[in-house]
Amino acid sequence: MKHLVLLLSILLFNTFTSFASDIQISGIITDENGEAIPGVMIFEKGNSAHGTTTNFNGEYHFIVDEEAVVVIRYMGYQTEEILAKDVPQSFKLTQEAQQLDAIEIVGTRSQNRTVTETPVAIDVINLENVTAATGQLDMNQLLQYVAPSFNAQRQSGADGSDHVDPATLRGLGPDQTLVLINGKRRHQSSLVNLVGTRGRGNTGTDLNAIPMAAIERIEILRDGASAQYGSDAIAGVINIVLKKNTDGVAVNVGTGVTSEGDGESANVDVNYGTELGKGGFINLTGQYQHRGRTNRMPEEETFRNYIGDALSTGFGGFVNAGLPLSENTEAYVFGGASVRHGESYAWTREADDDRNVPEIYPNGFDPNIISDIADYSVSAGVKTNIKDWKVDFNNTFGYNEFKYSVDQTLNASLGANSPTSFYSGKHYLSQNVTGVDVSKYFDGFLNGLNIAFGSEFRIDTYGIGAGEEASYKNYSDGSVPGGAQGFPGFRPENEVNAQRTNIALYLDIETDITDKWMIAVAGRYENYSDFGGTLNGKIASRYEFSKAFAVRGAVSTGFRAPSLAQKHYSSIFTDVVGGVTMEKVIAPNDSELAKALGMPELKQEKAFNASLGFTANLLDGLSLTVDGYYVAIDDRIVLTGAFEDTDPEIGDELKELDVSAAQFFTNALDTRTLGLDVVLAYSFDIDAHNFTTSIAGNINRMELGDITTNEKLTGKEDIYFGEREQMFLLASAPNHKFNYTINHSYKKLATMIRLNQFSSVELMDWDGEIDYYAGRLTTDIAITYSFNPKLRWTIGGNNIFNVYPTKQDPLSTETAGYWDPVQMGFNGAYFYTKFGINF
């Protein structure tokens, strides 16, 4: 098998394999005690796709330009940079545990533990390595293809959700995964997913607001962590670690297009790092991104003229800096800002539609919904060491805002005098967290003890601002629809500026009972000003039978407080149900309308997590991790189905509001999720060829409990959270996803081939029929050629065989197209090229 892979590579790429200035470097890497370290990354600086890793015996070898700088990196140890021709045969890495800025790994607060020694499953994704060999422009889509338990579906015709993909971990909700930057809580988006989306009724974090060029690595903790990090960590934690390098300027320029000639993309990012003062650093990143529309309108007549990705253009910048104030104290700051302009077409209004004014649009029209998204954050703090107690005092502020407008539209109640563009209002969110974290490692207790404790005080704000009057008002007697078609504006009665506070205390203890057995215990108490307190705990353990095999597991309780958006969001919006356009109202949980239906107040979601798995180094260069998990969530918050104006309980109130249907946020049901994560990796060398292969997969099954209604709505479970809504929720947890990847490097050439296996999905359409989407296999390929240590060129393609999901009846799908949003998307093949330049 090895020789077959080698032969294919030589046949495909033999024109690039002879360079006079190349040398072969080889050796063994050990720790300070002389023990071999497997999995150490050794790569060419500025081109992490060109490199290798040490095998189980700590050995490595690969071909590199003799003038190139070689980087030797392993988490928990100091990174080394050496000129290729000066690399020694034997090299010892130095641990960073005693450094003030020691590497901290999500999932453990002990700085004396590496990622392979944690008692829970953690994926570490090197962004420079991944982005060098893939064509994805945004973070959600990139993680979709490199992290098996991460799922994101790009939406179409779903208002603001067209610009922030609802993303899930282990099939749970977008708001059940906590995002950190450099270990500090990241604010969520102000967007609530409402129309035609997975994660319906949830808020999430806008990962695309963070330039990928600013990121060194992403750590994904695939385990419940509410007891360690707080609310939102039911499914796990994504920790984004920013770059700290000080080695000059790196520029990446790329472009791409789909096989249909649309969806054109352009990306330019610049990263600059330099020393700051004595021993400090500053790293700056700027980014421009553009993604054009795609259109996959069916051949037959349907309800929309445009079905596909929205247009998106954005600019962003980030900074990460640290400055020693003394031998034991360092000040740091990181944060950034981004603005993004998006445009997406709403459903078509035909020429004879009562929502059209023929004098303005004699052929009908396609409302263009415009979203202008602003996002900024800043985190600043001081780290110090007081008698070996590490203290980190920090304040982090974040803000996210969506402003909506709509053009190519009208307000039919104004007749021929109607404007064709409107400002429809905004929603916004802010978060300020002040915290202190304290930890100390005691090497005299058993085989080592780490104690960490701390506190956080958080202030959350959520608001809605009204649009201009003509965007929402009906100026007729009610016989003609009012408001801006496509996106009626927020009304004055929707306006809100809600705030709450939260205080948290935590204690985290890890101890090595022996040199093979460790135990970690964590507890966290949080108290919210608007619904009270909660106490959660976690216990985790790892036992190492040998260097080649270890078992690990954890049990924990978790929680997620209802977001301010879920408590206070309200709007009247346009929805299209099976081709019929209607206005729907989303009423706050504490509104008079909700009270009329007996809706109870929102309460926290409660969770129980259990995981058990093992890590194994089966052969030289072959590693396997298997982790099973069980997640039980009670009182899950959802957005109900629509109660229509014909309903005897609510019909009169709806008619008074001039809307056809109403929905509410409520704790509707319990869910149970059982799954398995598997990662198999194999690295080997044949002569000067280095190969790294991997199979990463997630198998997942969610079961839904009984729908819990109130006494007044008993018997209306099919409206409260009916089968169609239930199938949307289940589709957020696909049965499986597998990625099969082969990376090959030889001298200045690196190649990547990846197969993506997506499971089948079942959804219910507007006619009550089951739409079955069969499993699909897509293929990605990338070729990177390094002209020299400072210049590389990549060409590649995603889904190169142009595979599409199973076709459905476009008259009854959520999108009014052949396909609903599913894992693999429905844009077909995408081809790209890009250059990386280092100065």
Side-chain angles (χ1 to χ4, degrees), residues 544-589:
E544 184 179 279
F545 290 91
S546 69
K547 289 292 183 181
F549 184 79
V551 295
R552 59 191 182 187
V555 293
S556 64
T557 59
F559 72 102
R560 189 190 70 81
S563 69
L564 281 178
Q566 289 173 325
K567 292 192 67 172
H568 298 285
Y569 183 88
S570 67
S571 73
I572 296 177
F573 66 100
T574 303
D575 198 7
V576 184
V577 179
V580 179
T581 307
M582 63 174 62
E583 269 68 53
K584 291 183 177 180
V585 61
I586 295 179
N589 186 260

Short mmCIF file of all heavy atoms in Angstrom, two decimals, residues 544-589:
data_model
loop_
_atom_site.label_atom_id
_atom_site.label_comp_id
_atom_site.label_asym_id
_atom_site.label_seq_id
_atom_site.Cartn_x
_atom_site.Cartn_y
_atom_site.Cartn_z
N GLU A 544 -2.78 5.62 32.44
CA GLU A 544 -1.85 5.25 31.39
C GLU A 544 -1.27 3.88 31.71
O GLU A 544 -0.44 3.72 32.60
CB GLU A 544 -0.74 6.30 31.30
CG GLU A 544 0.24 6.08 30.17
CD GLU A 544 1.30 7.17 30.14
OE1 GLU A 544 1.02 8.26 29.60
OE2 GLU A 544 2.40 6.93 30.69
N PHE A 545 -1.73 2.87 30.98
CA PHE A 545 -1.21 1.53 31.18
C PHE A 545 0.23 1.43 30.70
O PHE A 545 1.04 0.71 31.27
CB PHE A 545 -2.08 0.51 30.44
CG PHE A 545 -3.44 0.33 31.06
CD1 PHE A 545 -4.51 1.09 30.64
CD2 PHE A 545 -3.62 -0.60 32.07
CE1 PHE A 545 -5.75 0.92 31.22
CE2 PHE A 545 -4.87 -0.77 32.65
CZ PHE A 545 -5.94 0.00 32.22
N SER A 546 0.52 2.15 29.62
CA SER A 546 1.88 2.22 29.08
C SER A 546 1.95 3.47 28.21
O SER A 546 0.95 4.16 28.02
CB SER A 546 2.20 0.97 28.25
OG SER A 546 1.43 0.96 27.06
N LYS A 547 3.13 3.76 27.68
CA LYS A 547 3.27 4.89 26.78
C LYS A 547 2.43 4.70 25.51
O LYS A 547 2.11 5.64 24.80
CB LYS A 547 4.73 5.10 26.38
CG LYS A 547 5.61 5.62 27.51
CD LYS A 547 5.24 7.04 27.88
CE LYS A 547 6.16 7.60 28.95
NZ LYS A 547 5.78 8.98 29.35
N ALA A 548 2.02 3.46 25.28
CA ALA A 548 1.29 3.15 24.06
C ALA A 548 -0.22 3.09 24.26
O ALA A 548 -0.97 3.07 23.28
CB ALA A 548 1.76 1.83 23.48
N PHE A 549 -0.71 3.06 25.52
CA PHE A 549 -2.15 2.89 25.71
C PHE A 549 -2.61 3.55 27.01
O PHE A 549 -1.99 3.37 28.06
CB PHE A 549 -2.52 1.41 25.75
CG PHE A 549 -3.99 1.15 25.84
CD1 PHE A 549 -4.79 1.24 24.72
CD2 PHE A 549 -4.58 0.84 27.06
CE1 PHE A 549 -6.16 1.01 24.80
CE2 PHE A 549 -5.94 0.61 27.16
CZ PHE A 549 -6.73 0.70 26.02
N ALA A 550 -3.70 4.34 26.92
CA ALA A 550 -4.27 4.99 28.09
C ALA A 550 -5.79 5.07 27.93
O ALA A 550 -6.30 5.17 26.81
CB ALA A 550 -3.69 6.39 28.28
N VAL A 551 -6.50 4.99 29.04
CA VAL A 551 -7.95 5.17 29.03
C VAL A 551 -8.28 6.49 29.73
O VAL A 551 -7.53 6.95 30.60
CB VAL A 551 -8.68 4.00 29.72
CG1 VAL A 551 -8.46 2.71 28.97
CG2 VAL A 551 -8.22 3.86 31.18
N ARG A 552 -9.41 7.07 29.36
CA ARG A 552 -9.80 8.36 29.93
C ARG A 552 -11.32 8.44 29.96
O ARG A 552 -12.02 7.80 29.17
CB ARG A 552 -9.24 9.52 29.11
CG ARG A 552 -9.67 9.54 27.64
CD ARG A 552 -8.86 10.53 26.84
NE ARG A 552 -9.28 10.63 25.44
CZ ARG A 552 -8.64 11.32 24.52
NH1 ARG A 552 -7.52 11.98 24.82
NH2 ARG A 552 -9.08 11.38 23.28
N GLY A 553 -11.83 9.23 30.89
CA GLY A 553 -13.28 9.37 30.99
C GLY A 553 -13.65 10.51 31.91
O GLY A 553 -12.83 11.02 32.67
N ALA A 554 -14.92 10.91 31.85
CA ALA A 554 -15.39 12.02 32.67
C ALA A 554 -16.90 11.94 32.82
O ALA A 554 -17.60 11.40 31.96
CB ALA A 554 -15.00 13.35 32.03
N VAL A 555 -17.40 12.46 33.92
CA VAL A 555 -18.83 12.69 34.11
C VAL A 555 -18.99 14.10 34.65
O VAL A 555 -18.14 14.60 35.40
CB VAL A 555 -19.47 11.67 35.09
CG1 VAL A 555 -19.47 10.28 34.48
CG2 VAL A 555 -18.76 11.67 36.43
N SER A 556 -20.07 14.77 34.23
CA SER A 556 -20.26 16.15 34.67
C SER A 556 -21.72 16.54 34.54
O SER A 556 -22.49 15.91 33.80
CB SER A 556 -19.41 17.11 33.83
OG SER A 556 -19.81 17.11 32.47
N THR A 557 -22.08 17.56 35.27
CA THR A 557 -23.38 18.20 35.07
C THR A 557 -23.15 19.52 34.36
O THR A 557 -22.05 20.09 34.41
CB THR A 557 -24.10 18.45 36.41
OG1 THR A 557 -23.29 19.29 37.24
CG2 THR A 557 -24.37 17.13 37.12
N GLY A 558 -24.16 20.02 33.70
CA GLY A 558 -24.01 21.25 32.93
C GLY A 558 -25.29 22.05 32.91
O GLY A 558 -26.35 21.59 33.35
N PHE A 559 -25.19 23.23 32.37
CA PHE A 559 -26.35 24.10 32.29
C PHE A 559 -26.13 25.13 31.19
O PHE A 559 -25.02 25.37 30.75
CB PHE A 559 -26.59 24.82 33.62
CG PHE A 559 -25.58 25.91 33.90
CD1 PHE A 559 -25.89 27.25 33.71
CD2 PHE A 559 -24.30 25.59 34.33
CE1 PHE A 559 -24.95 28.23 33.94
CE2 PHE A 559 -23.37 26.57 34.58
CZ PHE A 559 -23.68 27.90 34.39
N ARG A 560 -27.22 25.70 30.74
CA ARG A 560 -27.15 26.86 29.85
C ARG A 560 -28.30 27.77 30.20
O ARG A 560 -29.47 27.39 30.14
CB ARG A 560 -27.24 26.47 28.37
CG ARG A 560 -26.93 27.66 27.45
CD ARG A 560 -27.24 27.38 26.01
NE ARG A 560 -28.66 27.27 25.77
CZ ARG A 560 -29.47 28.33 25.60
NH1 ARG A 560 -28.99 29.56 25.65
NH2 ARG A 560 -30.76 28.15 25.37
N ALA A 561 -27.96 28.98 30.59
CA ALA A 561 -28.99 29.96 30.89
C ALA A 561 -29.66 30.40 29.59
O ALA A 561 -29.01 30.52 28.56
CB ALA A 561 -28.37 31.18 31.58
N PRO A 562 -30.97 30.65 29.59
CA PRO A 562 -31.61 31.19 28.39
C PRO A 562 -30.95 32.51 28.02
O PRO A 562 -30.68 33.34 28.87
CB PRO A 562 -33.06 31.37 28.81
CG PRO A 562 -33.06 31.37 30.30
CD PRO A 562 -31.92 30.52 30.72
N SER A 563 -30.65 32.66 26.75
CA SER A 563 -29.99 33.89 26.32
C SER A 563 -30.94 35.06 26.45
O SER A 563 -32.17 34.90 26.47
CB SER A 563 -29.51 33.77 24.88
OG SER A 563 -30.61 33.73 24.00
N LEU A 564 -30.38 36.26 26.54
CA LEU A 564 -31.22 37.45 26.60
C LEU A 564 -32.06 37.58 25.34
O LEU A 564 -33.19 38.07 25.38
CB LEU A 564 -30.35 38.70 26.78
CG LEU A 564 -29.84 38.97 28.20
CD1 LEU A 564 -28.96 40.21 28.21
CD2 LEU A 564 -31.00 39.13 29.18
N ALA A 565 -31.50 37.15 24.20
CA ALA A 565 -32.27 37.20 22.96
C ALA A 565 -33.49 36.29 23.04
O ALA A 565 -34.59 36.66 22.61
CB ALA A 565 -31.39 36.81 21.79
N GLN A 566 -33.32 35.09 23.60
CA GLN A 566 -34.46 34.18 23.72
C GLN A 566 -35.51 34.72 24.68
O GLN A 566 -36.70 34.44 24.53
CB GLN A 566 -33.98 32.80 24.18
CG GLN A 566 -33.19 32.05 23.11
CD GLN A 566 -32.58 30.77 23.64
OE1 GLN A 566 -32.16 30.69 24.78
NE2 GLN A 566 -32.52 29.75 22.78
N LYS A 567 -35.10 35.51 25.65
CA LYS A 567 -36.03 36.06 26.62
C LYS A 567 -36.75 37.30 26.09
O LYS A 567 -37.91 37.55 26.43
CB LYS A 567 -35.32 36.42 27.93
CG LYS A 567 -34.80 35.23 28.71
CD LYS A 567 -34.38 35.63 30.11
CE LYS A 567 -35.56 36.05 30.95
NZ LYS A 567 -35.21 36.26 32.36
N HIS A 568 -36.05 38.09 25.24
CA HIS A 568 -36.58 39.41 24.92
C HIS A 568 -36.80 39.67 23.43
O HIS A 568 -37.30 40.74 23.07
CB HIS A 568 -35.65 40.48 25.48
CG HIS A 568 -35.52 40.45 26.97
ND1 HIS A 568 -36.51 40.90 27.82
CD2 HIS A 568 -34.53 39.97 27.78
CE1 HIS A 568 -36.13 40.73 29.08
NE2 HIS A 568 -34.93 40.16 29.08
N TYR A 569 -36.41 38.75 22.56
CA TYR A 569 -36.56 39.00 21.12
C TYR A 569 -38.04 39.05 20.75
O TYR A 569 -38.85 38.23 21.19
CB TYR A 569 -35.88 37.91 20.30
CG TYR A 569 -35.94 38.16 18.81
CD1 TYR A 569 -34.98 38.92 18.18
CD2 TYR A 569 -36.99 37.65 18.04
CE1 TYR A 569 -35.03 39.17 16.81
CE2 TYR A 569 -37.06 37.89 16.68
CZ TYR A 569 -36.07 38.64 16.07
OH TYR A 569 -36.14 38.90 14.73
N SER A 570 -38.40 40.01 19.91
CA SER A 570 -39.75 40.07 19.36
C SER A 570 -39.68 40.74 18.00
O SER A 570 -38.87 41.64 17.77
CB SER A 570 -40.70 40.84 20.28
OG SER A 570 -40.34 42.21 20.34
N SER A 571 -40.51 40.27 17.09
CA SER A 571 -40.55 40.88 15.76
C SER A 571 -41.77 40.37 15.02
O SER A 571 -42.37 39.35 15.39
CB SER A 571 -39.30 40.55 14.95
OG SER A 571 -39.31 39.19 14.54
N ILE A 572 -42.13 41.10 13.98
CA ILE A 572 -43.10 40.62 13.01
C ILE A 572 -42.34 40.49 11.70
O ILE A 572 -41.76 41.45 11.21
CB ILE A 572 -44.28 41.59 12.87
CG1 ILE A 572 -45.05 41.65 14.20
CG2 ILE A 572 -45.20 41.15 11.73
CD1 ILE A 572 -46.20 42.63 14.20
N PHE A 573 -42.28 39.29 11.18
CA PHE A 573 -41.46 39.05 10.00
C PHE A 573 -42.27 38.29 8.94
O PHE A 573 -43.33 37.72 9.22
CB PHE A 573 -40.20 38.25 10.36
CG PHE A 573 -40.46 36.84 10.83
CD1 PHE A 573 -40.31 35.77 9.97
CD2 PHE A 573 -40.85 36.58 12.13
CE1 PHE A 573 -40.53 34.47 10.38
CE2 PHE A 573 -41.09 35.29 12.57
CZ PHE A 573 -40.93 34.22 11.68
N THR A 574 -41.76 38.32 7.72
CA THR A 574 -42.41 37.63 6.61
C THR A 574 -41.87 36.23 6.48
O THR A 574 -40.66 36.02 6.44
CB THR A 574 -42.19 38.39 5.29
OG1 THR A 574 -42.67 39.73 5.44
CG2 THR A 574 -42.93 37.72 4.15
N ASP A 575 -42.75 35.24 6.42
CA ASP A 575 -42.36 33.87 6.17
C ASP A 575 -43.18 33.34 5.00
O ASP A 575 -44.27 33.85 4.70
CB ASP A 575 -42.59 33.01 7.42
CG ASP A 575 -41.82 31.70 7.38
OD1 ASP A 575 -41.01 31.53 6.46
OD2 ASP A 575 -42.03 30.87 8.28
N VAL A 576 -42.63 32.36 4.31
CA VAL A 576 -43.33 31.74 3.19
C VAL A 576 -43.49 30.26 3.51
O VAL A 576 -42.50 29.54 3.67
CB VAL A 576 -42.56 31.94 1.86
CG1 VAL A 576 -43.36 31.36 0.71
CG2 VAL A 576 -42.28 33.42 1.63
N VAL A 577 -44.73 29.83 3.61
CA VAL A 577 -45.05 28.46 3.98
C VAL A 577 -45.68 27.77 2.77
O VAL A 577 -46.82 28.07 2.40
CB VAL A 577 -46.00 28.41 5.19
CG1 VAL A 577 -46.35 26.97 5.54
CG2 VAL A 577 -45.39 29.13 6.38
N GLY A 578 -44.92 26.88 2.13
CA GLY A 578 -45.43 26.19 0.96
C GLY A 578 -45.87 27.14 -0.14
O GLY A 578 -46.85 26.88 -0.83
N GLY A 579 -45.14 28.25 -0.29
CA GLY A 579 -45.45 29.22 -1.33
C GLY A 579 -46.43 30.29 -0.92
O GLY A 579 -46.67 31.24 -1.67
N VAL A 580 -47.01 30.19 0.27
CA VAL A 580 -47.96 31.19 0.77
C VAL A 580 -47.23 32.15 1.70
O VAL A 580 -46.63 31.74 2.69
CB VAL A 580 -49.13 30.51 1.52
CG1 VAL A 580 -50.09 31.57 2.05
CG2 VAL A 580 -49.84 29.53 0.61
N THR A 581 -47.28 33.44 1.36
CA THR A 581 -46.58 34.46 2.15
C THR A 581 -47.48 34.93 3.28
O THR A 581 -48.66 35.22 3.08
CB THR A 581 -46.19 35.65 1.26
OG1 THR A 581 -45.46 35.16 0.14
CG2 THR A 581 -45.34 36.64 2.03
N MET A 582 -46.90 35.00 4.50
CA MET A 582 -47.67 35.46 5.65
C MET A 582 -46.75 36.19 6.62
O MET A 582 -45.54 36.05 6.58
CB MET A 582 -48.33 34.27 6.37
CG MET A 582 -47.36 33.26 6.95
SD MET A 582 -48.17 31.98 7.95
CE MET A 582 -49.22 31.20 6.74
N GLU A 583 -47.37 37.03 7.47
CA GLU A 583 -46.64 37.70 8.53
C GLU A 583 -46.76 36.89 9.81
O GLU A 583 -47.85 36.46 10.18
CB GLU A 583 -47.17 39.12 8.76
CG GLU A 583 -46.47 40.19 7.95
CD GLU A 583 -46.77 40.04 6.46
OE1 GLU A 583 -47.94 39.99 6.08
OE2 GLU A 583 -45.80 39.95 5.67
N LYS A 584 -45.62 36.68 10.47
CA LYS A 584 -45.60 35.98 11.74
C LYS A 584 -45.05 36.90 12.82
O LYS A 584 -44.18 37.73 12.56
CB LYS A 584 -44.72 34.72 11.66
CG LYS A 584 -45.28 33.61 10.78
CD LYS A 584 -44.37 32.39 10.82
CE LYS A 584 -44.95 31.24 10.00
NZ LYS A 584 -44.05 30.05 10.03
N VAL A 585 -45.53 36.73 14.02
CA VAL A 585 -45.00 37.46 15.16
C VAL A 585 -44.27 36.49 16.07
O VAL A 585 -44.72 35.37 16.29
CB VAL A 585 -46.13 38.20 15.94
CG1 VAL A 585 -47.14 37.22 16.50
CG2 VAL A 585 -45.52 39.04 17.08
N ILE A 586 -43.09 36.89 16.54
CA ILE A 586 -42.41 36.18 17.61
C ILE A 586 -42.57 37.03 18.85
O ILE A 586 -42.09 38.17 18.91
CB ILE A 586 -40.93 35.94 17.29
CG1 ILE A 586 -40.80 35.01 16.09
CG2 ILE A 586 -40.21 35.33 18.49
CD1 ILE A 586 -39.38 34.73 15.69
N ALA A 587 -43.29 36.51 19.81
CA ALA A 587 -43.63 37.28 21.00
C ALA A 587 -42.72 36.88 22.15
O ALA A 587 -42.43 35.70 22.34
CB ALA A 587 -45.08 37.04 21.39
N PRO A 588 -42.25 37.85 22.94
CA PRO A 588 -41.41 37.52 24.09
C PRO A 588 -42.12 36.59 25.06
O PRO A 588 -43.35 36.58 25.15
CB PRO A 588 -41.14 38.90 24.73
CG PRO A 588 -41.35 39.88 23.63
CD PRO A 588 -42.43 39.30 22.77
N ASN A 589 -41.34 35.84 25.76
CA ASN A 589 -41.86 34.84 26.67
C ASN A 589 -42.73 35.45 27.77
O ASN A 589 -43.64 34.80 28.30
CB ASN A 589 -40.70 34.06 27.28
CG ASN A 589 -41.15 32.91 28.13
OD1 ASN A 589 -41.18 33.02 29.34
ND2 ASN A 589 -41.51 31.80 27.50
#
